[in-house]
Amino acid sequence: MKALITGGTGFLGSYLARELVGRGDEVVLFDVAFNEGLIDQVKDKVEFVKGDLSCWPEVLDAIKRSEADIIYHCGALLSGSAEELPLKAYEINTLGTWYILEAARLFNVDKVLFTSTVASFGDHISDPVANTAPQYPKTLYGVSKVSSERLGEYYKGKFGVDFRGIRFPSVIGPGRGPGGASAYSSLVFEKPVLGEPYEVYVKPESCIPILYVKDAVKALIQLGEADENKLKYRMYNVNGFSPKAKEIVDVIKKEIAGADIKFEPVKEMVDIVNSWPDALDESEAVRDWGWQSDFDIRKTVMDFKEELS
């Protein structure tokens, strides 16, 4: 199997590359720059192609030369940057997805796996959010993901491109770094493992759905291997676990002696986090392709410690 990963040296793309290489797959990473940090373990076992998703010739050439059997489309301009650079976000996120789908059609790529987000739903929706809940995002990042979902479904219906995708909650793991209102859900694990203090900028009762990065990788691969005849949808919600911030802190303090974590809520961040759903209904993924996450809070702490040791 030969896979091309857009955003290949980013957070999720790097973990996905590591897993695919470990399985014996050939892996091509497509990204605007080579970020060696997270990909270091397998950098000599992957091919890197420098390119910009907003540039049609570069996307076309990369997919043609890769001869990929499957594309994992993880590349995107994230929420904060998208609000600051809306035109660039449209070019990378929306046009970029169109370019990926069109190139997949032209070169007969077997499957395109797409990464979407809980941010595609917006607010004023009930918990847990159903797989078919109306999508009215409040950010350009969310808008770009919804439009990309619809593009993928169009290419499936019109041209037969095997488009499949997952709406992820906050994906956490070592190396995710700061940025975005959901970053606390990852840094609250990472900082204590590194022996550093951390101030949580949401309230103890704040709650968002969280998925450990290795579960996110598992979900993408599992959906890619699922029987087409059993898939009722092209897009699926995946939830993971939905703890309150205090629940996370309590487990971390139990598992890491001397963990220095305090709550210092910041109103702007609290308001953003509180506008998100507490959970995604993943029952359709469980039914159609046997999805089940492996990581709870404690296992997540343990794996952070192992990865960062």
PDB file of all heavy atoms in Angstrom, residues 47-84:
ATOM      1  N   GLU A  47       9.096   9.514   2.006  1.00  0.00           N
ATOM      2  CA  GLU A  47       9.452  10.466   0.955  1.00  0.00           C
ATOM      3  C   GLU A  47       8.751  11.781   1.254  1.00  0.00           C
ATOM      4  O   GLU A  47       7.564  11.793   1.586  1.00  0.00           O
ATOM      5  CB  GLU A  47       9.010   9.938  -0.403  1.00  0.00           C
ATOM      6  CG  GLU A  47       9.296  10.879  -1.565  1.00  0.00           C
ATOM      7  CD  GLU A  47       8.740  10.372  -2.883  1.00  0.00           C
ATOM      8  OE1 GLU A  47       8.290   9.217  -2.946  1.00  0.00           O
ATOM      9  OE2 GLU A  47       8.727  11.165  -3.858  1.00  0.00           O
ATOM     10  N   PHE A  48       9.470  12.878   1.157  1.00  0.00           N
ATOM     11  CA  PHE A  48       8.882  14.187   1.405  1.00  0.00           C
ATOM     12  C   PHE A  48       8.769  14.971   0.104  1.00  0.00           C
ATOM     13  O   PHE A  48       9.721  15.062  -0.673  1.00  0.00           O
ATOM     14  CB  PHE A  48       9.717  14.991   2.405  1.00  0.00           C
ATOM     15  CG  PHE A  48       9.215  16.392   2.621  1.00  0.00           C
ATOM     16  CD1 PHE A  48       8.047  16.620   3.328  1.00  0.00           C
ATOM     17  CD2 PHE A  48       9.900  17.484   2.086  1.00  0.00           C
ATOM     18  CE1 PHE A  48       7.562  17.908   3.518  1.00  0.00           C
ATOM     19  CE2 PHE A  48       9.424  18.775   2.270  1.00  0.00           C
ATOM     20  CZ  PHE A  48       8.252  18.988   2.996  1.00  0.00           C
ATOM     21  N   VAL A  49       7.572  15.512  -0.138  1.00  0.00           N
ATOM     22  CA  VAL A  49       7.339  16.364  -1.306  1.00  0.00           C
ATOM     23  C   VAL A  49       6.875  17.723  -0.796  1.00  0.00           C
ATOM     24  O   VAL A  49       5.835  17.824  -0.150  1.00  0.00           O
ATOM     25  CB  VAL A  49       6.271  15.761  -2.245  1.00  0.00           C
ATOM     26  CG1 VAL A  49       5.984  16.725  -3.393  1.00  0.00           C
ATOM     27  CG2 VAL A  49       6.717  14.413  -2.770  1.00  0.00           C
ATOM     28  N   LYS A  50       7.657  18.752  -1.090  1.00  0.00           N
ATOM     29  CA  LYS A  50       7.281  20.097  -0.672  1.00  0.00           C
ATOM     30  C   LYS A  50       6.241  20.657  -1.627  1.00  0.00           C
ATOM     31  O   LYS A  50       6.402  20.613  -2.849  1.00  0.00           O
ATOM     32  CB  LYS A  50       8.505  21.016  -0.656  1.00  0.00           C
ATOM     33  CG  LYS A  50       8.218  22.413  -0.136  1.00  0.00           C
ATOM     34  CD  LYS A  50       9.496  23.249  -0.052  1.00  0.00           C
ATOM     35  CE  LYS A  50       9.195  24.631   0.502  1.00  0.00           C
ATOM     36  NZ  LYS A  50      10.424  25.458   0.607  1.00  0.00           N
ATOM     37  N   GLY A  51       5.149  21.178  -1.047  1.00  0.00           N
ATOM     38  CA  GLY A  51       4.111  21.731  -1.894  1.00  0.00           C
ATOM     39  C   GLY A  51       3.029  22.405  -1.090  1.00  0.00           C
ATOM     40  O   GLY A  51       2.906  22.202   0.120  1.00  0.00           O
ATOM     41  N   ASP A  52       2.235  23.207  -1.775  1.00  0.00           N
ATOM     42  CA  ASP A  52       1.182  24.009  -1.150  1.00  0.00           C
ATOM     43  C   ASP A  52      -0.169  23.519  -1.655  1.00  0.00           C
ATOM     44  O   ASP A  52      -0.399  23.415  -2.864  1.00  0.00           O
ATOM     45  CB  ASP A  52       1.390  25.481  -1.531  1.00  0.00           C
ATOM     46  CG  ASP A  52       0.492  26.434  -0.773  1.00  0.00           C
ATOM     47  OD1 ASP A  52      -0.635  26.042  -0.411  1.00  0.00           O
ATOM     48  OD2 ASP A  52       0.907  27.591  -0.554  1.00  0.00           O
ATOM     49  N   LEU A  53      -1.079  23.218  -0.740  1.00  0.00           N
ATOM     50  CA  LEU A  53      -2.409  22.744  -1.121  1.00  0.00           C
ATOM     51  C   LEU A  53      -3.172  23.743  -1.982  1.00  0.00           C
ATOM     52  O   LEU A  53      -4.057  23.360  -2.747  1.00  0.00           O
ATOM     53  CB  LEU A  53      -3.234  22.418   0.129  1.00  0.00           C
ATOM     54  CG  LEU A  53      -2.978  21.069   0.786  1.00  0.00           C
ATOM     55  CD1 LEU A  53      -3.663  21.014   2.147  1.00  0.00           C
ATOM     56  CD2 LEU A  53      -3.458  19.928  -0.097  1.00  0.00           C
ATOM     57  N   SER A  54      -2.844  25.023  -1.859  1.00  0.00           N
ATOM     58  CA  SER A  54      -3.560  26.036  -2.632  1.00  0.00           C
ATOM     59  C   SER A  54      -3.018  26.189  -4.054  1.00  0.00           C
ATOM     60  O   SER A  54      -3.537  26.986  -4.832  1.00  0.00           O
ATOM     61  CB  SER A  54      -3.492  27.393  -1.914  1.00  0.00           C
ATOM     62  OG  SER A  54      -2.165  27.886  -1.874  1.00  0.00           O
ATOM     63  N   CYS A  55      -1.993  25.403  -4.393  1.00  0.00           N
ATOM     64  CA  CYS A  55      -1.382  25.484  -5.727  1.00  0.00           C
ATOM     65  C   CYS A  55      -1.728  24.222  -6.514  1.00  0.00           C
ATOM     66  O   CYS A  55      -1.183  23.141  -6.250  1.00  0.00           O
ATOM     67  CB  CYS A  55       0.131  25.649  -5.607  1.00  0.00           C
ATOM     68  SG  CYS A  55       0.971  25.776  -7.208  1.00  0.00           S
ATOM     69  N   TRP A  56      -2.638  24.359  -7.482  1.00  0.00           N
ATOM     70  CA  TRP A  56      -3.110  23.209  -8.244  1.00  0.00           C
ATOM     71  C   TRP A  56      -1.989  22.438  -8.936  1.00  0.00           C
ATOM     72  O   TRP A  56      -1.940  21.197  -8.834  1.00  0.00           O
ATOM     73  CB  TRP A  56      -4.168  23.679  -9.247  1.00  0.00           C
ATOM     74  CG  TRP A  56      -4.555  22.709 -10.311  1.00  0.00           C
ATOM     75  CD1 TRP A  56      -4.506  22.918 -11.655  1.00  0.00           C
ATOM     76  CD2 TRP A  56      -5.095  21.392 -10.147  1.00  0.00           C
ATOM     77  NE1 TRP A  56      -4.980  21.819 -12.339  1.00  0.00           N
ATOM     78  CE2 TRP A  56      -5.344  20.861 -11.436  1.00  0.00           C
ATOM     79  CE3 TRP A  56      -5.381  20.604  -9.035  1.00  0.00           C
ATOM     80  CZ2 TRP A  56      -5.856  19.581 -11.644  1.00  0.00           C
ATOM     81  CZ3 TRP A  56      -5.898  19.323  -9.236  1.00  0.00           C
ATOM     82  CH2 TRP A  56      -6.135  18.831 -10.522  1.00  0.00           C
ATOM     83  N   PRO A  57      -1.040  23.075  -9.618  1.00  0.00           N
ATOM     84  CA  PRO A  57       0.024  22.297 -10.262  1.00  0.00           C
ATOM     85  C   PRO A  57       0.846  21.471  -9.267  1.00  0.00           C
ATOM     86  O   PRO A  57       1.244  20.347  -9.582  1.00  0.00           O
ATOM     87  CB  PRO A  57       0.894  23.374 -10.937  1.00  0.00           C
ATOM     88  CG  PRO A  57      -0.025  24.527 -11.149  1.00  0.00           C
ATOM     89  CD  PRO A  57      -0.929  24.511  -9.951  1.00  0.00           C
ATOM     90  N   GLU A  58       1.087  22.017  -8.067  1.00  0.00           N
ATOM     91  CA  GLU A  58       1.882  21.285  -7.077  1.00  0.00           C
ATOM     92  C   GLU A  58       1.122  20.084  -6.527  1.00  0.00           C
ATOM     93  O   GLU A  58       1.698  19.010  -6.313  1.00  0.00           O
ATOM     94  CB  GLU A  58       2.316  22.229  -5.950  1.00  0.00           C
ATOM     95  CG  GLU A  58       3.315  23.281  -6.405  1.00  0.00           C
ATOM     96  CD  GLU A  58       3.743  24.233  -5.299  1.00  0.00           C
ATOM     97  OE1 GLU A  58       3.283  24.066  -4.141  1.00  0.00           O
ATOM     98  OE2 GLU A  58       4.535  25.152  -5.584  1.00  0.00           O
ATOM     99  N   VAL A  59      -0.179  20.247  -6.297  1.00  0.00           N
ATOM    100  CA  VAL A  59      -1.002  19.121  -5.838  1.00  0.00           C
ATOM    101  C   VAL A  59      -1.070  18.054  -6.925  1.00  0.00           C
ATOM    102  O   VAL A  59      -0.877  16.855  -6.671  1.00  0.00           O
ATOM    103  CB  VAL A  59      -2.424  19.595  -5.462  1.00  0.00           C
ATOM    104  CG1 VAL A  59      -3.326  18.405  -5.161  1.00  0.00           C
ATOM    105  CG2 VAL A  59      -2.371  20.534  -4.259  1.00  0.00           C
ATOM    106  N   LEU A  60      -1.341  18.484  -8.135  1.00  0.00           N
ATOM    107  CA  LEU A  60      -1.459  17.555  -9.268  1.00  0.00           C
ATOM    108  C   LEU A  60      -0.173  16.760  -9.458  1.00  0.00           C
ATOM    109  O   LEU A  60      -0.198  15.527  -9.602  1.00  0.00           O
ATOM    110  CB  LEU A  60      -1.787  18.347 -10.527  1.00  0.00           C
ATOM    111  CG  LEU A  60      -2.162  17.552 -11.784  1.00  0.00           C
ATOM    112  CD1 LEU A  60      -3.518  16.903 -11.617  1.00  0.00           C
ATOM    113  CD2 LEU A  60      -2.162  18.480 -13.002  1.00  0.00           C
ATOM    114  N   ASP A  61       0.950  17.453  -9.450  1.00  0.00           N
ATOM    115  CA  ASP A  61       2.234  16.800  -9.683  1.00  0.00           C
ATOM    116  C   ASP A  61       2.571  15.818  -8.558  1.00  0.00           C
ATOM    117  O   ASP A  61       3.067  14.712  -8.815  1.00  0.00           O
ATOM    118  CB  ASP A  61       3.335  17.855  -9.800  1.00  0.00           C
ATOM    119  CG  ASP A  61       4.691  17.251 -10.127  1.00  0.00           C
ATOM    120  OD1 ASP A  61       4.814  16.622 -11.196  1.00  0.00           O
ATOM    121  OD2 ASP A  61       5.614  17.387  -9.299  1.00  0.00           O
ATOM    122  N   ALA A  62       2.291  16.223  -7.304  1.00  0.00           N
ATOM    123  CA  ALA A  62       2.614  15.359  -6.166  1.00  0.00           C
ATOM    124  C   ALA A  62       1.824  14.053  -6.214  1.00  0.00           C
ATOM    125  O   ALA A  62       2.375  12.967  -5.984  1.00  0.00           O
ATOM    126  CB  ALA A  62       2.328  16.091  -4.851  1.00  0.00           C
ATOM    127  N   ILE A  63       0.545  14.147  -6.519  1.00  0.00           N
ATOM    128  CA  ILE A  63      -0.285  12.938  -6.543  1.00  0.00           C
ATOM    129  C   ILE A  63       0.040  12.072  -7.753  1.00  0.00           C
ATOM    130  O   ILE A  63       0.074  10.839  -7.658  1.00  0.00           O
ATOM    131  CB  ILE A  63      -1.776  13.327  -6.495  1.00  0.00           C
ATOM    132  CG1 ILE A  63      -2.086  13.972  -5.135  1.00  0.00           C
ATOM    133  CG2 ILE A  63      -2.667  12.114  -6.740  1.00  0.00           C
ATOM    134  CD1 ILE A  63      -3.488  14.471  -4.978  1.00  0.00           C
ATOM    135  N   LYS A  64       0.321  12.702  -8.877  1.00  0.00           N
ATOM    136  CA  LYS A  64       0.707  11.933 -10.061  1.00  0.00           C
ATOM    137  C   LYS A  64       1.992  11.158  -9.804  1.00  0.00           C
ATOM    138  O   LYS A  64       2.070   9.946 -10.077  1.00  0.00           O
ATOM    139  CB  LYS A  64       0.888  12.867 -11.255  1.00  0.00           C
ATOM    140  CG  LYS A  64       1.323  12.149 -12.529  1.00  0.00           C
ATOM    141  CD  LYS A  64       1.554  13.128 -13.682  1.00  0.00           C
ATOM    142  CE  LYS A  64       2.017  12.400 -14.932  1.00  0.00           C
ATOM    143  NZ  LYS A  64       2.261  13.339 -16.059  1.00  0.00           N
ATOM    144  N   ARG A  65       3.005  11.836  -9.254  1.00  0.00           N
ATOM    145  CA  ARG A  65       4.297  11.186  -9.050  1.00  0.00           C
ATOM    146  C   ARG A  65       4.273  10.157  -7.926  1.00  0.00           C
ATOM    147  O   ARG A  65       5.027   9.188  -7.928  1.00  0.00           O
ATOM    148  CB  ARG A  65       5.376  12.235  -8.761  1.00  0.00           C
ATOM    149  CG  ARG A  65       5.741  13.081  -9.975  1.00  0.00           C
ATOM    150  CD  ARG A  65       7.049  13.835  -9.794  1.00  0.00           C
ATOM    151  NE  ARG A  65       6.972  14.869  -8.776  1.00  0.00           N
ATOM    152  CZ  ARG A  65       7.699  14.893  -7.680  1.00  0.00           C
ATOM    153  NH1 ARG A  65       8.544  13.914  -7.412  1.00  0.00           N
ATOM    154  NH2 ARG A  65       7.590  15.889  -6.816  1.00  0.00           N
ATOM    155  N   SER A  66       3.403  10.376  -6.950  1.00  0.00           N
ATOM    156  CA  SER A  66       3.356   9.462  -5.800  1.00  0.00           C
ATOM    157  C   SER A  66       2.787   8.093  -6.155  1.00  0.00           C
ATOM    158  O   SER A  66       3.111   7.091  -5.527  1.00  0.00           O
ATOM    159  CB  SER A  66       2.509  10.063  -4.678  1.00  0.00           C
ATOM    160  OG  SER A  66       1.126  10.017  -4.985  1.00  0.00           O
ATOM    161  N   GLU A  67       1.903   8.057  -7.162  1.00  0.00           N
ATOM    162  CA  GLU A  67       1.199   6.821  -7.519  1.00  0.00           C
ATOM    163  C   GLU A  67       0.524   6.210  -6.284  1.00  0.00           C
ATOM    164  O   GLU A  67       0.517   4.984  -6.074  1.00  0.00           O
ATOM    165  CB  GLU A  67       2.136   5.810  -8.176  1.00  0.00           C
ATOM    166  CG  GLU A  67       2.747   6.322  -9.476  1.00  0.00           C
ATOM    167  CD  GLU A  67       3.640   5.299 -10.148  1.00  0.00           C
ATOM    168  OE1 GLU A  67       4.160   4.397  -9.450  1.00  0.00           O
ATOM    169  OE2 GLU A  67       3.828   5.397 -11.368  1.00  0.00           O
ATOM    170  N   ALA A  68      -0.065   7.067  -5.450  1.00  0.00           N
ATOM    171  CA  ALA A  68      -0.651   6.640  -4.183  1.00  0.00           C
ATOM    172  C   ALA A  68      -1.911   5.814  -4.389  1.00  0.00           C
ATOM    173  O   ALA A  68      -2.702   6.071  -5.306  1.00  0.00           O
ATOM    174  CB  ALA A  68      -0.974   7.860  -3.330  1.00  0.00           C
ATOM    175  N   ASP A  69      -2.089   4.830  -3.515  1.00  0.00           N
ATOM    176  CA  ASP A  69      -3.325   4.057  -3.477  1.00  0.00           C
ATOM    177  C   ASP A  69      -4.371   4.758  -2.618  1.00  0.00           C
ATOM    178  O   ASP A  69      -5.571   4.573  -2.824  1.00  0.00           O
ATOM    179  CB  ASP A  69      -3.066   2.667  -2.884  1.00  0.00           C
ATOM    180  CG  ASP A  69      -2.013   1.895  -3.660  1.00  0.00           C
ATOM    181  OD1 ASP A  69      -2.246   1.650  -4.859  1.00  0.00           O
ATOM    182  OD2 ASP A  69      -0.970   1.560  -3.064  1.00  0.00           O
ATOM    183  N   ILE A  70      -3.906   5.534  -1.647  1.00  0.00           N
ATOM    184  CA  ILE A  70      -4.805   6.197  -0.706  1.00  0.00           C
ATOM    185  C   ILE A  70      -4.217   7.552  -0.322  1.00  0.00           C
ATOM    186  O   ILE A  70      -2.991   7.690  -0.186  1.00  0.00           O
ATOM    187  CB  ILE A  70      -5.041   5.326   0.548  1.00  0.00           C
ATOM    188  CG1 ILE A  70      -6.103   5.931   1.470  1.00  0.00           C
ATOM    189  CG2 ILE A  70      -3.740   5.058   1.294  1.00  0.00           C
ATOM    190  CD1 ILE A  70      -6.556   4.975   2.571  1.00  0.00           C
ATOM    191  N   ILE A  71      -5.083   8.544  -0.191  1.00  0.00           N
ATOM    192  CA  ILE A  71      -4.672   9.876   0.265  1.00  0.00           C
ATOM    193  C   ILE A  71      -5.332  10.135   1.615  1.00  0.00           C
ATOM    194  O   ILE A  71      -6.557  10.009   1.746  1.00  0.00           O
ATOM    195  CB  ILE A  71      -5.095  10.977  -0.713  1.00  0.00           C
ATOM    196  CG1 ILE A  71      -4.430  10.783  -2.068  1.00  0.00           C
ATOM    197  CG2 ILE A  71      -4.753  12.367  -0.158  1.00  0.00           C
ATOM    198  CD1 ILE A  71      -4.979  11.694  -3.160  1.00  0.00           C
ATOM    199  N   TYR A  72      -4.521  10.483   2.593  1.00  0.00           N
ATOM    200  CA  TYR A  72      -5.027  10.949   3.883  1.00  0.00           C
ATOM    201  C   TYR A  72      -4.909  12.473   3.873  1.00  0.00           C
ATOM    202  O   TYR A  72      -3.812  13.020   3.965  1.00  0.00           O
ATOM    203  CB  TYR A  72      -4.221  10.358   5.045  1.00  0.00           C
ATOM    204  CG  TYR A  72      -4.370   8.863   5.215  1.00  0.00           C
ATOM    205  CD1 TYR A  72      -3.460   7.985   4.622  1.00  0.00           C
ATOM    206  CD2 TYR A  72      -5.418   8.331   5.961  1.00  0.00           C
ATOM    207  CE1 TYR A  72      -3.587   6.611   4.781  1.00  0.00           C
ATOM    208  CE2 TYR A  72      -5.554   6.956   6.128  1.00  0.00           C
ATOM    209  CZ  TYR A  72      -4.643   6.104   5.534  1.00  0.00           C
ATOM    210  OH  TYR A  72      -4.779   4.743   5.690  1.00  0.00           O
ATOM    211  N   HIS A  73      -6.045  13.136   3.745  1.00  0.00           N
ATOM    212  CA  HIS A  73      -6.043  14.599   3.598  1.00  0.00           C
ATOM    213  C   HIS A  73      -6.168  15.253   4.975  1.00  0.00           C
ATOM    214  O   HIS A  73      -7.255  15.545   5.456  1.00  0.00           O
ATOM    215  CB  HIS A  73      -7.184  15.009   2.684  1.00  0.00           C
ATOM    216  CG  HIS A  73      -7.227  16.467   2.366  1.00  0.00           C
ATOM    217  ND1 HIS A  73      -6.110  17.289   2.410  1.00  0.00           N
ATOM    218  CD2 HIS A  73      -8.273  17.282   1.991  1.00  0.00           C
ATOM    219  CE1 HIS A  73      -6.460  18.514   2.089  1.00  0.00           C
ATOM    220  NE2 HIS A  73      -7.759  18.540   1.834  1.00  0.00           N
ATOM    221  N   CYS A  74      -4.992  15.479   5.600  1.00  0.00           N
ATOM    222  CA  CYS A  74      -4.923  16.071   6.942  1.00  0.00           C
ATOM    223  C   CYS A  74      -4.515  17.537   6.911  1.00  0.00           C
ATOM    224  O   CYS A  74      -4.584  18.224   7.930  1.00  0.00           O
ATOM    225  CB  CYS A  74      -3.914  15.303   7.805  1.00  0.00           C
ATOM    226  SG  CYS A  74      -4.225  13.538   7.957  1.00  0.00           S
ATOM    227  N   GLY A  75      -4.058  18.031   5.791  1.00  0.00           N
ATOM    228  CA  GLY A  75      -3.548  19.395   5.707  1.00  0.00           C
ATOM    229  C   GLY A  75      -4.656  20.436   5.723  1.00  0.00           C
ATOM    230  O   GLY A  75      -5.688  20.267   5.081  1.00  0.00           O
ATOM    231  N   ALA A  76      -4.432  21.517   6.462  1.00  0.00           N
ATOM    232  CA  ALA A  76      -5.398  22.626   6.533  1.00  0.00           C
ATOM    233  C   ALA A  76      -4.777  23.778   7.310  1.00  0.00           C
ATOM    234  O   ALA A  76      -3.862  23.582   8.114  1.00  0.00           O
ATOM    235  CB  ALA A  76      -6.696  22.190   7.198  1.00  0.00           C
ATOM    236  N   LEU A  77      -5.291  24.970   7.072  1.00  0.00           N
ATOM    237  CA  LEU A  77      -4.966  26.120   7.907  1.00  0.00           C
ATOM    238  C   LEU A  77      -5.947  26.088   9.080  1.00  0.00           C
ATOM    239  O   LEU A  77      -7.162  26.077   8.878  1.00  0.00           O
ATOM    240  CB  LEU A  77      -5.125  27.418   7.116  1.00  0.00           C
ATOM    241  CG  LEU A  77      -4.444  28.670   7.689  1.00  0.00           C
ATOM    242  CD1 LEU A  77      -2.927  28.488   7.702  1.00  0.00           C
ATOM    243  CD2 LEU A  77      -4.805  29.900   6.876  1.00  0.00           C
ATOM    244  N   LEU A  78      -5.427  26.053  10.295  1.00  0.00           N
ATOM    245  CA  LEU A  78      -6.268  25.846  11.473  1.00  0.00           C
ATOM    246  C   LEU A  78      -7.039  27.101  11.875  1.00  0.00           C
ATOM    247  O   LEU A  78      -6.847  28.177  11.309  1.00  0.00           O
ATOM    248  CB  LEU A  78      -5.415  25.323  12.622  1.00  0.00           C
ATOM    249  CG  LEU A  78      -4.727  23.978  12.355  1.00  0.00           C
ATOM    250  CD1 LEU A  78      -3.903  23.544  13.555  1.00  0.00           C
ATOM    251  CD2 LEU A  78      -5.717  22.902  11.957  1.00  0.00           C
ATOM    252  N   SER A  79      -7.889  26.939  12.894  1.00  0.00           N
ATOM    253  CA  SER A  79      -8.927  27.925  13.187  1.00  0.00           C
ATOM    254  C   SER A  79      -8.418  29.343  13.434  1.00  0.00           C
ATOM    255  O   SER A  79      -8.925  30.297  12.842  1.00  0.00           O
ATOM    256  CB  SER A  79      -9.761  27.462  14.380  1.00  0.00           C
ATOM    257  OG  SER A  79      -8.930  27.186  15.495  1.00  0.00           O
ATOM    258  N   GLY A  80      -7.418  29.499  14.313  1.00  0.00           N
ATOM    259  CA  GLY A  80      -6.937  30.842  14.618  1.00  0.00           C
ATOM    260  C   GLY A  80      -6.357  31.539  13.408  1.00  0.00           C
ATOM    261  O   GLY A  80      -6.689  32.698  13.112  1.00  0.00           O
ATOM    262  N   SER A  81      -5.518  30.834  12.663  1.00  0.00           N
ATOM    263  CA  SER A  81      -4.903  31.404  11.462  1.00  0.00           C
ATOM    264  C   SER A  81      -5.942  31.673  10.386  1.00  0.00           C
ATOM    265  O   SER A  81      -5.833  32.631   9.622  1.00  0.00           O
ATOM    266  CB  SER A  81      -3.829  30.460  10.923  1.00  0.00           C
ATOM    267  OG  SER A  81      -2.801  30.267  11.874  1.00  0.00           O
ATOM    268  N   ALA A  82      -6.965  30.811  10.325  1.00  0.00           N
ATOM    269  CA  ALA A  82      -8.003  30.984   9.317  1.00  0.00           C
ATOM    270  C   ALA A  82      -8.778  32.272   9.537  1.00  0.00           C
ATOM    271  O   ALA A  82      -9.169  32.945   8.574  1.00  0.00           O
ATOM    272  CB  ALA A  82      -8.958  29.787   9.338  1.00  0.00           C
ATOM    273  N   GLU A  83      -9.005  32.648  10.801  1.00  0.00           N
ATOM    274  CA  GLU A  83      -9.712  33.892  11.085  1.00  0.00           C
ATOM    275  C   GLU A  83      -8.857  35.109  10.736  1.00  0.00           C
ATOM    276  O   GLU A  83      -9.370  36.146  10.314  1.00  0.00           O
ATOM    277  CB  GLU A  83     -10.116  33.939  12.560  1.00  0.00           C
ATOM    278  CG  GLU A  83     -11.158  32.898  12.951  1.00  0.00           C
ATOM    279  CD  GLU A  83     -12.433  32.998  12.129  1.00  0.00           C
ATOM    280  OE1 GLU A  83     -12.979  34.114  11.981  1.00  0.00           O
ATOM    281  OE2 GLU A  83     -12.879  31.960  11.602  1.00  0.00           O
ATOM    282  N   GLU A  84      -7.551  34.981  10.890  1.00  0.00           N
ATOM    283  CA  GLU A  84      -6.639  36.086  10.588  1.00  0.00           C
ATOM    284  C   GLU A  84      -6.383  36.211   9.081  1.00  0.00           C
ATOM    285  O   GLU A  84      -6.168  37.308   8.565  1.00  0.00           O
ATOM    286  CB  GLU A  84      -5.307  35.877  11.310  1.00  0.00           C
ATOM    287  CG  GLU A  84      -5.416  35.960  12.838  1.00  0.00           C
ATOM    288  CD  GLU A  84      -4.093  35.651  13.505  1.00  0.00           C
ATOM    289  OE1 GLU A  84      -3.081  35.445  12.789  1.00  0.00           O
ATOM    290  OE2 GLU A  84      -4.059  35.604  14.748  1.00  0.00           O
TER     291      GLU A  84
END
